[in-house]
Amino acid sequence: MKTRITILLLALFAGFNIGFAQQDEECMNNLSIFDSYVKSKKYDDAYGPWNIVRNKCPKFNRAIYVHGVKILKHKIKNSAGADKVAHINDLMLLHDQSREHFASKYELGEILEDKANLAYKYKKDLGKTNEQLYAMFEEAYQKDAKNFTNPQALYTYFSLAVDIYDAGAKTSQDAQKMFDKYDDVIELIEGIEKSHTEELNKLIEKEESGIALTKKEVQYKDYYQKSLEALEKVTTSMDRKLGDRATCEVLVPLYKKDFEQNKTNGVWLQRAMNRMYAKGCKENPLFLQLVEQKNNIEPSADTALYLYLLSGDKKYFDQFLQLEKDPLKKAKQYKKLANEYKSKGSYSKARQYYMEALKLNPSDGSPYLAIAAMYAKSANNCGDSNFNKRAVFWLAAIEAEKAGRVDGRLKSAAAKSATSYRASAPSKADIFNCGCSGTTIKIGCWIGRSVTVPKI
C-alpha cells in the first residue's frame, strides 16, 4: 500500500537519482534516452534502450520497472496474436523482476494482485480458465493478504468465486465456500477502510477546527476519499453479484444443517449471524439461536447489539458499550442502530444514534444525509403553519450540505439533495410576503431545532 500511495502522490522519477556511481556508461546513457522518450509518451522509441538497461543493469534504477510497465502496456495495446501474448507474459515477468531487484519498494501482495489482474484482463489471449485465474488471486490472499488491497482485484477475486460456484454442482458445501470467500474479502476491505478512515478523520478534524491542510495533506485526503469510495463500490458490487444466492430461503436451511457441527466455532457463528442480519433474516428464530449461542461461547459487542435489537433490554446495550473499544466499529454499530430506529419511524432515537456515529467517525457523512431525509419526511408534521412546515426543508438542506463538506464521496449526492430540499422550502416571494427575513423559526415535534429564515 505504501508503494501505491507514493505512486499517487509523488513524482517517482525526479532526475536519475543514480545509486551506483561506477555503473556501466551504456546503461546511464540508455536510461536517459528511454526516460526522455517515456516522458514524451514515445513508448515504441523507448522500448529498445529500456530493454538494454533492463537486461544489462537490472538494479540500476527503479525507473526500469516504473517506466517498463507503461512501455509494455503500450506494446500490449498495440499488438495482436503471438506478439501480444509475448508482451503480456513479459509484463508478468517484469512484475516479478521489480520485486526481485527492488524488494523494499514492491510488496509481494501488490505484485501478485497486479499479475492476477493482468491475467484476468487478457484471459482470452492467455487461454486462462476461471479456476486458474482464481488460483492467482488466491495466492495473493494466502501469501500476503495485508498487501492485497487493489479494489479491482478484490472484486474480481470474489466474482470468480461466484462464477465457479455457478458453474459447479452448487452443493451446500460449495455455497459455504462461496459465502466464506465473501467474508474473507469483506474483512480485507474493512481492514483497509479502517486504516484509511482513521487517517482521513485526523485530516477532517484538522479542517473542521479551522486549520488549513498542507498541500501534501490535501493530496492524502483526496487519496483516502477516493480509495474509500472505490471500496464502497466494491462492497455494493459484491452484494449485487451474490444476489439471490444468499436470500433467507437459501441461508436458513444451510445454517440449520451446519449449526450443530459449528456451534462452538465463533467465526462461523459470527459470519452466519452477520449475513442473516444483512439479508433481513433477523425475524427467523434461527437468527436468535445463532446470536445466543455466540454470546454464550464468545460474548462480543456484536452479539450484545443484536440481542439489544431483538429484545430491547438496556442491559445488552450497556454490554455493547462496555465491550466495543474500537471507535470506528462502534460508529458502524451506532449507524446500524440508527437505521433500525429510522426504519421504524423512531426518528428522535435514530438521530441520537446517528449523532453518536458522527462523533466517532466524522469523515462519514452518511448520517447527515439520513438526518436530512428524516427532517424532510417530517416537514408536514413539525410546523404550526404552512410556511413553518416548509421551513423544515432549510434544516434538511443544511444537514445534507454537512455531508458533502466532510465526505468527498457524498459531495455530488449531498449537493443534489440540498438543492432539492431548498426547492421545497419557502421562496423569496414567500419570505417577502411574511415579512420574516432574517428571523428565527423554532421547529417543533421530535425535531426540536431552530432555523434562520434567509435574508432577502
Side-chain angles (χ1 to χ4, degrees), residues 340-448:
E340 283 285 334
Y341 281 109
K342 179 173 178 281
S343 68
K344 296 174 183 176
S346 300
Y347 291 163
S348 180
K349 200 74 172 175
R351 181 177 61 186
Q352 175 189 336
Y353 289 130
Y354 281 131
M355 296 305 295
E356 292 294 335
L358 283 165
K359 289 177 188 175
L360 295 166
N361 188 8
S363 64
D364 178 9
S366 61
Y368 285 125
L369 283 181
I371 292 170
M374 292 191 298
Y375 285 168
K377 197 166 185 179
S378 301
N380 200 47
N381 302 318
C382 294
D384 54 8
S385 67
N386 183 57
F387 186 94
N388 287 359
K389 289 177 180 179
R390 292 172 60 201
V392 174
F393 288 102
W394 281 320
L395 274 180
I398 291 168
E399 292 298 311
E401 287 162 349
K402 289 178 185 176
R405 189 168 66 245
V406 303
D407 193 336
R409 296 166 293 176
L410 299 176
K411 190 166 290 186
S412 176
K416 287 179 182 177
S417 294
T419 299
S420 174
Y421 293 142
R422 291 193 184 281
S424 298
S427 65
K428 288 183 179 180
D430 295 326
I431 297 171
F432 177 81
N433 290 333
C434 77
C436 54
S437 174
T439 62
T440 299
I441 297 174
K442 290 185 178 179
I443 307 299
C445 70
W446 73 271
I447 294 178

Side-chain angles (χ1 to χ4, degrees), residues 190-320:
E190 288 177 343
I192 303 166
E193 288 177 333
K194 174 177 167 58
S195 172
H196 289 187
T197 301
E198 287 173 345
E199 295 303 317
L200 182 58
N201 281 342
K202 294 175 187 176
L203 299 174
I204 294 294
E205 287 168 356
K206 181 177 179 180
E207 269 190 321
E208 290 293 296
S209 70
I211 302 173
L213 300 181
T214 65
K215 183 178 179 180
K216 189 173 182 179
E217 286 174 330
V218 170
Q219 291 174 323
Y220 270 105
K221 178 186 172 185
D222 182 62
Y223 168 77
Y224 292 133
Q225 288 182 330
K226 286 181 177 177
S227 175
L228 289 170
E229 183 177 8
L231 292 168
E232 186 176 350
K233 288 179 180 177
V234 169
T235 302
T236 301
S237 297
M238 285 175 61
D239 287 333
R240 191 179 301 119
K241 179 84 176 185
L242 197 59
D244 292 341
R245 300 170 188 85
T247 61
C248 297
E249 290 74 18
V250 174
L251 296 175
V252 172
L254 175 66
Y255 293 143
K256 275 186 177 179
K257 181 177 73 68
D258 294 340
F259 178 77
E260 281 302 318
Q261 69 186 66
N262 289 288
K263 65 182 181 182
T264 59
N265 183 338
V267 173
W268 184 89
L269 291 167
Q270 182 73 50
R271 288 181 167 187
M273 66 184 192
N274 284 350
R275 190 172 297 108
M276 286 193 68
Y277 179 85
K279 292 298 179 179
C281 312
K282 62 182 181 291
E283 305 302 327
N284 191 285
L286 178 63
F287 179 71
L288 178 59
Q289 185 180 10
L290 291 166
V291 174
E292 288 178 334
Q293 179 62 16
K294 178 65 165 57
N295 200 54
N296 287 337
I297 65 169
E298 292 178 359
S300 68
D302 285 335
T303 56
L305 185 70
Y306 285 138
L307 287 169
Y308 173 63
L309 288 171
L310 289 167
S311 69
D313 192 327
K314 190 177 180 298
K315 72 178 181 182
Y316 292 119
F317 186 69
D318 293 337
Q319 185 184 22
F320 156 69

Side-chain angles (χ1 to χ4, degrees), residues 1-7 62 95-96 98-99 102-118 136-137 139-141 143-150 153 223:
M1 181 53 64
K2 63 187 179 186
T3 302
R4 298 205 187 284
I5 295 176
T6 303
I7 290 171
R62 191 157 70 96
H95 285 311
D96 289 331
S98 65
R99 178 166 167 77
F102 288 89
S104 65
K105 300 296 184 181
Y106 294 92
E107 301 290 354
L108 178 60
E110 293 177 3
I111 295 301
L112 292 174
E113 71 181 11
D114 283 344
K115 291 174 65 179
N117 271 337
L118 182 64
M136 294 182 73
F137 288 102
E139 183 182 10
Y141 174 73
K143 290 186 175 179
D144 191 14
K146 74 174 183 178
N147 289 302
F148 184 11
T149 58
N150 180 280
Y223 168 77

